[in-house]
Amino acid sequence: MIEQGQTLPAVTLSQLTDEGMQTLTNTELFSGKKVVLFAVPGAFTPTCSNAHLPEFITLSDKIKAKGIAAIYCVSVNDAFVMKAWGESQNAQEIDMLADGDASFTKALGLDKDTGGFGGTRSTRYAMIIDDNVVSGLFVEKEKEFTVSRAEAVLEKL
């Protein structure tokens, strides 16, 4: 598993924007700036839709006021699903990233197998990334939702 102080491996992520499909490496996304990234097991799932994403939306101004250039949400879903989920949640403040083949999630060692329920998914976590280096990592234990919450991350900034 990736650890605090390590540089993120270069992996491609997708984002569907009004300009069309964007395919960027995390190096392109995160280099030269300080960002917050949080990962959810799946778009449109209960905890993700009712708490995790909404809390980051609500606290985005306070998080960005701490010197954060952008807030990213990533999930092992396709870019079309991530865009639709972001729109359904009115998440203009959050960049919705798709890790369709779980390559980013696997490269971080933060993948989990949910079997027939959904296959390979991401563990729930949040991280602070400073110039593509992990400066804070907050990985949830199974069935918990405490350390990756927006409020918890805000306290670490």
Side-chain angles (χ1 to χ4, degrees), residues 23-109:
T23 303
L24 301 163
T25 66
N26 53 289
T27 305
E28 293 171 300
L29 288 166
F30 309 142
S31 292
K33 57 188 168 185
K34 189 173 185 177
V35 302
V36 167
L37 171 86
F38 68 100
V40 297
F44 293 104
T45 56
T47 302
C48 307
S49 291
N50 297 331
H52 210 173
L53 180 57
E55 288 177 5
F56 273 98
I57 294 166
T58 301
L59 293 175
S60 63
D61 288 343
K62 290 181 180 180
I63 290 169
K64 290 179 178 177
K66 297 277 189 171
I68 297 299
I71 302 169
Y72 296 93
C73 175
V74 66
S75 183
V76 181
N77 288 109
D78 66 55
F80 299 99
V81 168
M82 292 302 287
K83 181 173 176 39
W85 187 41
E87 289 173 349
S88 77
Q89 293 279 322
N90 202 22
Q92 296 94 345
E93 307 86 353
I94 312 295
D95 287 300
M96 306 298 283
L97 300 175
D99 184 19
D101 64 357
S103 58
F104 179 72
T105 300
K106 289 176 182 177
L108 298 178

